Amino acid sequence: RSRVSSDAQPVWPLERSRTPVRVLLADMHTSSVMYTSQAPPSALPVGPRLPRLPVSDGESQRLVRASPLDGLVPGQKGVMSQNWQELAAVATLLPDITWLGIVQECYGIVDFGKMHQPGHTALSDEGHRNRLGEKVLKFGGIDLCVRALSLYAPYEQVGYNGVLDLFVHLRGARLALHISRALWFLEPAHWKKWIAPRLQGPKGHFTRQQVLNTLLVGALLDIPPERPPSRDPDLEQEHPIARKDAKLAKEHILALRSAGAEMADTSELATSVFETSDSWKELWGSDHFCAAGVRLWTVLRVGRNFPRCARGARKHAMLLLLCEDYEDEIQLLTPDFSFRDLVTSCVVYRAFDDDGLMGLCEFARRRGWTGVAFVPEPSAPVQNTKRTIQALSFVAREISQHISVASA
């Protein structure tokens, strides 16, 4: 039993449709409970409430392999299911919004089991479908998100705002909770399959790179802007929260940079994910040079040359020199930091345009530093030739190894 709407929307089962009686019962149930619990967070078991199929591990794995969740495993980072029976249930049953369980929001605890009656998520109802899509993209793990997306046609909007809700408001503690999920969907193959086809509407046309760049800006801003306290306990007590926040933000910056995130102009950012200025303005705009030093040092640690579109201007390079006065404070949050290494790394990885790099090299010359010199960037044909030679060398080594193994 199924129906297809007049505008050729996907097939939705009638078994979960909203009858007048169900509508009345759902409204009565929702009005009788609060959206947030008054109980302290520690007293509530925060987490999902996933069903389990009463089958063996082997049968569960077979069901998962035959579903869109193929390749996921229980307990994987970003996956909500903790055993094969839960993962098989998510893979085969129609999703219910109560599966999200209890989640921690900035304003309190949200218990979806109290807000909604189990089994009353009506996917044939547009309102239910939109709410399920929105909440799953916001709170769900990889497994629940993939299962929900598999029920929507590529041209159908997921939730109220679209599939980019997967990445909206991912900063600080929320980014820590969902960064594994975000990075999974930002892998090229997963982006191509699950995200890109759903970016055709008026809010679409953002690329994977733009989303990565935007998440990086948010992570940069998560570095605490305040000066860290003195390391002298007789002068001031150390503030462990500042260290914790800085450590978490640095981990996020490194993870996003490793995934390919770059410093970017606003034209290379996904503004519907996070409304912000460009990366360099956000890095320096607050005039908190201690935080700026930590941010830039962490970005550079990946050890990758900045593409031309990601480089800062000369004015940004000159602002870098102000970090010298904050070297001791920066070392409180990043012990391996040194101002000289910061300048050298910016030159080596071409963090700024040629004018900015020459300004840094001139500063280094006046200081008497060695090993900091401006080197003109090779032309595009030369770079392409080098890449071709490197690729051919790799292929030659692979062929040589295979021939050696075959001969043995």
Side-chain angles (χ1 to χ4, degrees):
R1 295 183 298 161
S2 62
R3 71 170 178 85
V4 179
S5 64
S6 59
D7 55 352
Q9 290 296 310
V11 176
W12 300 102
L14 281 175
E15 290 90 326
R16 310 292 274 284
S17 61
R18 296 183 82 193
T19 64
V21 174
R22 281 188 172 182
V23 171
L24 178 61
L25 290 175
D27 289 344
M28 291 173 60
H29 178 74
T30 302
S31 63
S32 67
V33 298
M34 298 185 66
Y35 275 59
T36 56
S37 171
Q38 298 301 311
S42 59
L44 292 171
V46 175
R49 299 294 183 270
L50 300 178
R52 299 185 184 185
L53 290 188
V55 297
S56 66
D57 283 0
E59 179 65 12
S60 297
Q61 292 177 39
R62 185 190 69 78
L63 292 171
V64 171
R65 287 196 299 269
S67 77
L69 275 60
D70 182 30
L72 299 180
V73 297
Q76 173 184 335
K77 286 186 177 180
V79 171
M80 300 175 82
S81 302
Q82 295 301 305
N83 54 64
W84 284 107
Q85 286 73 20
E86 288 183 350
L87 192 59
V90 174
T92 57
L93 302 180
L94 286 174
D96 193 274
I97 198 168
T98 59
W99 292 2
L100 292 170
I102 301 176
V103 300
Q104 175 77 56
E105 270 286 52
C106 59
Y107 51 80
I109 295 293
V110 180
D111 188 342
F112 285 95
K114 288 186 177 180
M115 291 173 61
H116 305 275
Q117 288 185 328
H120 278 229
T121 300
L123 296 179
S124 58
D125 178 85
E126 183 180 2
H128 278 211
R129 200 160 64 247
N130 285 337
R131 183 165 177 81
L132 175 71
E134 178 202 17
K135 298 307 179 185
V136 165
L137 293 178
K138 187 175 182 180
F139 298 114
I142 298 170
D143 45 351
L144 190 51
C145 288
V146 169
R147 177 59 176 139
L149 291 173
S150 71
L151 297 174
Y152 292 77
Y155 51 81
E156 185 182 15
Q157 178 171 293
V158 183
Y160 294 104
N161 304 304
V163 72
L164 286 181
D165 268 357
L166 270 168
F167 311 103
V168 172
H169 304 311
L170 291 188
R171 289 188 56 191
R174 182 166 174 75
L175 179 57
L177 186 62
H178 295 296
I179 190 168
S180 296
R181 184 193 71 179
L183 292 175
W184 189 90
F185 279 103
L186 284 165
E187 291 180 15
H190 300 150
W191 177 273
K192 182 179 180 181
K193 181 176 182 179
W194 297 110
I195 308 300
R198 296 173 168 83
L199 296 178
Q200 305 305 317
K203 295 183 179 180
H205 304 295
F206 289 114
T207 66
R208 167 184 173 272
Q209 187 64 54
Q210 288 173 319
V211 173
L212 271 170
N213 297 345
T214 306
L215 293 180
L216 177 62
V217 175
L220 292 175
L221 293 175
D222 286 336
I223 297 289
E226 298 83 7
R227 262 192 183 189
S230 169
R231 67 179 68 192
D232 187 346
D234 294 332
L235 298 178
E236 187 176 2
Q237 290 294 321
E238 292 191 0
H239 201 290
I241 295 179
R243 291 178 179 273
K244 181 180 178 180
D245 290 346
K247 180 181 179 182
L248 187 62
K250 288 189 295 180
E251 291 174 358
H252 295 161
I253 292 170
L254 290 172
L256 292 166
R257 285 282 289 156
S258 298
E262 300 286 358
M263 304 290 282
D265 186 72
T266 51
S267 62
E268 292 302 319
L269 298 175
T271 53
S272 65
V273 171
F274 178 42
E275 192 69 38
T276 179
S277 185
D278 69 60
S279 303
W280 288 105
K281 286 182 179 178
E282 294 292 2
L283 189 143
W284 298 113
S286 63
D287 290 338
H288 294 290
F289 295 103
C290 171
V294 175
R295 294 165 183 164
L296 185 53
W297 178 254
T298 309
V299 168
L300 290 162
R301 282 186 59 192
V302 174
R304 182 173 71 240
N305 278 11
F306 285 50
R308 287 184 179 275
C309 61
R311 296 171 188 171
R314 180 183 176 87
K315 62 181 180 181
H316 301 132
M318 295 302 99
L319 286 171
L320 165 68
L321 303 181
L322 297 175
C323 292
E324 185 175 22
D325 294 336
Y326 299 85
E327 185 168 16
D328 290 341
E329 288 88 345
I330 295 173
Q331 287 177 347
L332 288 173
L333 299 177
T334 307
D336 60 344
F337 174 86
S338 81
F339 176 69
R340 178 171 177 170
D341 288 343
L342 176 64
V343 174
T344 302
S345 296
C346 285
V347 174
V348 170
Y349 298 122
R350 311 193 78 88
F352 304 102
D353 59 23
D354 287 355
D355 196 20
L357 295 179
M358 286 189 286
L360 292 182
C361 292
E362 175 60 22
F363 171 83
R365 186 192 64 79
R366 293 197 303 268
R367 287 294 182 90
W369 296 350
T370 59
V372 184
F374 176 76
V375 178
E377 190 170 19
S379 63
V382 172
Q383 292 184 25
N384 292 336
T385 301
K386 287 183 176 180
R387 294 192 189 100
T388 302
I389 293 174
Q390 290 173 351
L392 291 174
S393 299
F394 175 78
V395 172
R397 287 195 302 270
E398 289 293 309
I399 293 175
S400 176
Q401 291 177 0
H402 285 296
I403 292 175
S404 299
V405 171
S407 300

